[in-house]
Amino acid sequence: MDDFVNRRARQAVFSLQPYIPGKPIEEVKRELGLNDIIKLASNENPLGPSPLAMQAMEKAVRDIHLYPDANSYYLKEGLASFTGLDAAGIVLGNGSDEVLMILGLTFLNPGDEVIYADPTFVEYEFTALVMGANCVKVPLKDYRHDLPGILQAVTEKTKMIVICNPNNPTGTIVSEQELDDFMQDVPGDVLVVFDEAYSEYVESPEYCSGSKYLQQGRNVIILHTFSKIFGLAGLRIGYGLTRPEIAAAMRMATYPFNMNSAAQAAGRAALDDQEHIRRSRELNAAGKRYLYAELERMGINYIKTESNFILLDTGRASHEVFQELLQLGVIVRNCASYGYKTCIRVTVGTSEENQRFIRELGKILGVE
Ligand SMILES: *Cc1c(COP(=O)(O)O)cnc(C)c1O
């Protein structure tokens, strides 16, 4: 390790692991010399971006020599009517990853504790560690959040609890009743973060958004993203919904112009494209049912999902299955890093993509 870095960098930096993103299609093309590749690794929208968003972006590009609106006025107003909440309580970020980082910058001191499930989305750990806070992980129970276990883990030092609902990588949800019981007992001094990146895909009537508790005036923030059902992952747009006072504090910790003008314009337009959202949701529901039926036919265990991805148990070392699928031009997510050594996570794609995935997986596992 470099002597200068060792002596001068913040200690917290040495606790970090590099993020492993889903492998980009171009990289697989270069490395394996393949041409026909499908990516089912990062839960992107298989229908692509909304045409309205693309039009708005093309228009915005003509003014790209100008600084963006630092206030993101139109995007915030759009979100206020989309969510029925006050624009003053909206915090925008360069992806919800950045909203998490702004939360860290605003609230976390070294020694504070952040509680979240294990396994769950890795960015919560990153945010806590980079701020020098301590991570408290509560194992999932039967692939679902253990909310009573999370309550038991609360101490005087607990600053934040993050609940990923639906959870990544399992696709499971916590019910409204479970959340009500949890919110009843959670100390008012602890900020509860609901990550609802996949909420638009939920089909279960038992689901409930954390925005219910925001409306009750609780200290909560609900994170949403344009990267999934809105199909704008490359633009990086996320937002948090919270009390205006919390939002104001978070804005103090945000650098100016974090939302570029193309993103503001496309995000605003995407909110109006109800048809694109509806088609995306229907495609996902149909794809889910197809994949369930095929996996059952093949005798492969999977977790029922409320999201646009499925965690499935290949019964073999997942890094091998991942590599073999890659050789066949199918990129999925190896879940070994989540502690599921024989599992992969696959995004629900178009019906052609789903069929191709099933065909190639069948070949690899010898269950055609
Ligand atoms: C994909 C995902 C996000 C979205 O992150 P962005 O930074 O907005 O792209 C947030 N939370 C979870 C759990 C996710 O899986």
Side-chain angles (χ1 to χ4, degrees), residues 43 94-98 121 124 164 168 195 197-198 225-228 236-238:
N43 309 334
N94 195 243
S96 44
D97 287 353
E98 196 197 22
F121 190 47
Y124 316 141
C164 188
N168 180 2
D195 186 344
Y198 301 100
T225 181
F226 282 74
S227 300
K228 306 291 153 62
R236 315 303 301 124
I237 316 170

Side-chain angles (χ1 to χ4, degrees), residues 74-361:
Y74 290 108
L75 179 53
K76 270 192 204 157
E77 286 302 309
L79 282 169
S81 54
F82 187 77
T83 59
L85 296 167
D86 186 352
I90 298 172
V91 181
L92 289 163
N94 195 243
S96 44
D97 287 353
E98 196 197 22
V99 185
L100 276 167
M101 184 52 70
I102 299 168
L103 274 172
L105 290 167
T106 309
F107 288 105
L108 296 179
N109 282 316
D112 287 345
E113 290 174 356
V114 180
I115 310 179
Y116 48 84
D118 183 26
T120 190
F121 190 47
V122 292
E123 290 301 310
Y124 316 141
E125 174 153 304
F126 173 76
T127 304
L129 291 179
V130 80
M131 297 308 301
N134 294 331
C135 303
V136 178
K137 303 182 203 180
V138 177
L140 297 178
K141 254 192 187 161
D142 199 18
Y143 300 97
R144 299 176 64 249
H145 270 80
D146 174 13
L147 293 182
I150 288 176
L151 280 176
Q152 273 172 19
V154 172
T155 71
E156 251 107 85
K157 291 187 182 148
T158 306
K159 189 66 84 57
M160 224 182 257
I161 297 174
V162 192
I163 297 171
C164 188
N165 194 29
N167 189 43
N168 180 2
T170 52
T172 51
I173 59 163
V174 283
S175 71
E176 178 162 17
Q177 187 59 57
E178 287 172 305
L179 272 185
D180 281 347
D181 294 345
F182 170 78
M183 288 303 293
Q184 189 104 47
D185 290 342
V186 85
D189 241 11
V190 173
L191 180 66
V192 181
V193 182
F194 294 94
D195 186 344
E196 300 184 356
Y198 301 100
S199 60
E200 295 88 351
Y201 293 107
V202 172
E203 294 183 277
S204 166
E206 286 180 18
Y207 184 73
C208 151
S209 166
S211 58
K212 169 177 171 182
Y213 310 106
L214 178 59
Q215 275 151 343
Q216 295 169 358
R218 302 289 304 266
N219 291 322
V220 299
I221 180 165
I222 300 95
L223 304 186
H224 285 280
T225 181
F226 282 74
S227 300
K228 306 291 153 62
I229 203 161
F230 288 103
L232 297 174
L235 272 182
R236 315 303 301 124
I237 316 170
Y239 61 98
L241 303 169
T242 187
R243 291 200 294 109
E245 294 77 7
I246 294 178
M250 289 175 69
R251 271 186 226 110
M252 303 285 277
T254 310
Y255 62 90
F257 309 121
N258 67 328
M259 302 305 294
N260 70 74
S261 26
Q264 290 184 35
R268 175 68 193 84
L271 290 173
D272 285 337
D273 201 341
Q274 286 299 326
E275 175 62 14
H276 188 258
I277 299 173
R278 189 189 59 76
R279 283 179 54 222
S280 304
R281 195 183 284 128
E282 279 174 10
L283 182 75
N284 190 68
K288 233 171 90 168
R289 283 192 291 276
Y290 166 79
L291 289 170
Y292 283 178
E294 289 297 304
L295 292 171
E296 275 158 36
R297 178 181 64 74
M298 295 159 83
I300 295 172
N301 288 326
Y302 64 91
I303 309 296
K304 282 228 154 57
T305 184
E306 293 293 339
S307 184
N308 68 339
F309 55 82
I310 301 180
L311 181 72
L312 56 98
D313 190 345
T314 66
R316 282 183 46 197
S318 59
H319 67 272
E320 288 175 14
V321 177
F322 166 81
Q323 273 303 334
E324 287 169 38
L325 280 170
L326 203 59
Q327 300 292 333
L328 295 170
V330 180
I331 316 173
V332 297
R333 183 59 74 113
N334 171 6
C335 287
S337 62
Y338 290 109
Y340 299 137
K341 303 282 183 217
T342 56
C343 293
I344 58 173
R345 191 194 68 198
V346 63
T347 305
V348 179
T350 61
S351 75
E352 296 75 35
E353 289 171 333
N354 298 335
Q355 284 167 34
R356 168 130 174 240
F357 165 73
I358 288 294
R359 200 164 59 238
E360 310 295 24
L361 183 70

Side-chain angles (χ1 to χ4, degrees), residues 39-53:
K39 184 181 178 207
L40 301 173
S42 303
N43 309 334
E44 292 136 333
N45 188 331
L47 290 181
S50 132
L52 294 185

